[in-house]
Amino acid sequence: MSLLPLCTIEKLTVSYHRATQPALNGISLSLFANRRLAIIGESGSGKSTLARRLAGLLPRDAISSGRIDWNSAPPRQGRDIGYVFQDPGASLNPVLTIGEQVAEGAVRHLGLSWKQGLAHARDLLEQVHLPHPSLLLKAYPHQLSGGQRQRVAIAAAISASPKILIADEATSALDTITQAAIASLLDSLVRENGMTLIFITHDIALASSLADDIAVLKSGRLVEWGEASTLLSDPTHSYTKTLIAAHLDLSTPPLIEGAR
Ligand code: ADP
């Protein structure tokens, strides 16, 4: 790949306190501006650990070694990388209004007043295609469906206009139709806002629909990494071949029309 990397990760190893094996073991790869990277692999393979390390969200007792070299200034925590978690019910605060939660990033990091922040939140709710955004500002998370809550979590994640958006199994807890809608939303948001997307999933069909590049993790090691179309049509590692054979029927239409 001859693109300019946003950051280069070299021999990254992460171990959690008291764990017998490192969660990540000597990972080297690059992240490219304005591209969509899917990180795939079985549960426990280290996908979230890699994303959390990039976002500065590892627990304090995790020990990390290796290098992450950013091409420009390193990202500021909470501002330059937006993070969307699997369960919006857990990531949204039940006692704060939707408006407060979506406005917070912009108020804290962009210097907006709360009044300006709420106007910004209203625009973001519209951008994530939620109906009646002005009314929603005053609503609470429990008043929304799972898919709507995930749209709110995405709006909150992009509130401070991050350069990178990480979606960590962000569609896994949703039904199939909502999953496709959220994946399509993420895709259009990163294109419209010029963001880099890191999309963590165990769903290869989703990765094939959404990703420009794919990194395959197995037991904390990077077994394969490259352009999605090449990797999926001509995988070199036996583990990738097994994953594809087990999960992806390439004859089925992509989840996002025209995206494969
Ligand atoms: P994935 O996202 O692929 O499911 P994770 O990065 O969550 O994988 O986990 C990788 C390994 O690290 C697993 O063995 C998991 O049990 C362990 N792990 C993850 N988070 C913690 C933590 N906070 N403390 C201890 N071990 C952890």
Side-chain angles (χ1 to χ4, degrees):
M1 279 183 239
S2 59
L3 299 159
L4 187 68
L6 198 59
C7 81
T8 306
I9 299 165
E10 263 186 71
K11 295 185 181 160
L12 183 67
T13 294
V14 173
S15 301
Y16 290 105
H17 186 56
R18 294 210 178 115
T20 49
Q21 304 267 359
L24 285 183
N25 199 340
I27 302 276
S28 297
L29 62 83
S30 298
L31 190 61
F32 297 102
N34 301 320
R35 282 177 77 87
R36 300 159 302 167
L37 170 71
I39 305 176
I40 64 174
E42 292 162 359
S43 180
S45 56
K47 304 182 296 295
S48 296
T49 301
L50 176 56
R52 284 171 196 234
R53 173 66 185 84
L54 280 169
L57 294 176
L58 283 180
R60 283 212 188 130
D61 59 8
I63 298 164
S64 175
S65 64
R67 296 169 60 100
I68 302 182
D69 291 323
W70 295 91
N71 204 22
S72 51
R76 290 154 293 186
Q77 195 177 356
R79 168 162 185 179
D80 295 319
I81 302 185
Y83 208 108
V84 184
F85 295 88
Q86 177 173 347
D87 179 6
S91 60
L92 295 175
N93 188 329
V95 299
L96 292 180
T97 63
I98 301 299
E100 286 167 322
Q101 299 190 59
V102 177
E104 194 199 342
V107 170
R108 183 181 296 189
H109 298 293
L110 305 183
L112 269 56
S113 66
W114 272 103
K115 192 176 173 202
Q116 291 167 327
L118 288 170
H120 178 65
R122 193 208 159 280
D123 292 346
L124 287 169
L125 293 175
E126 203 164 73
Q127 232 192 52
V128 298
H129 307 303
L130 279 165
H132 314 297
S134 301
L135 289 177
L136 261 188
L137 289 176
K138 297 188 181 91
Y140 289 88
H142 75 268
Q143 295 172 280
L144 306 181
S145 70
Q148 288 173 328
R149 282 201 288 264
Q150 197 56 300
R151 286 174 192 272
V152 170
I154 292 168
I158 62 170
S159 180
S161 306
K163 296 189 195 103
I164 300 171
L165 181 62
I166 297 178
D168 189 348
E169 299 276 9
T171 64
S172 305
L174 306 168
D175 62 78
T176 317
I177 292 171
T178 314
Q179 248 181 26
I182 295 288
S184 173
L185 171 69
L186 288 169
D187 188 51
S188 57
L189 283 177
V190 295
R191 284 173 197 274
E192 284 160 20
N193 297 301
M195 290 185 285
T196 297
L197 178 67
I198 301 177
F199 190 83
I200 295 175
T201 183
H202 57 266
D203 183 343
I204 298 182
L206 199 56
S208 82
S209 289
L210 200 58
D212 298 304
D213 307 311
I214 294 182
V216 185
L217 292 190
K218 180 177 189 289
S219 308
R221 293 182 188 272
L222 181 71
V223 297
E224 198 159 351
W225 165 54
E227 278 199 53
S229 51
T230 313
L231 189 142
L232 291 170
S233 60
D234 191 17
T236 55
H237 196 281
S238 58
Y239 178 69
T240 315
K241 288 180 190 168
T242 312
L243 266 187
I244 293 171
H247 295 288
L248 181 62
D249 175 2
L250 283 167
S251 64
T252 55
L255 269 167
I256 302 171
E257 283 304 319
R260 187 181 282 165

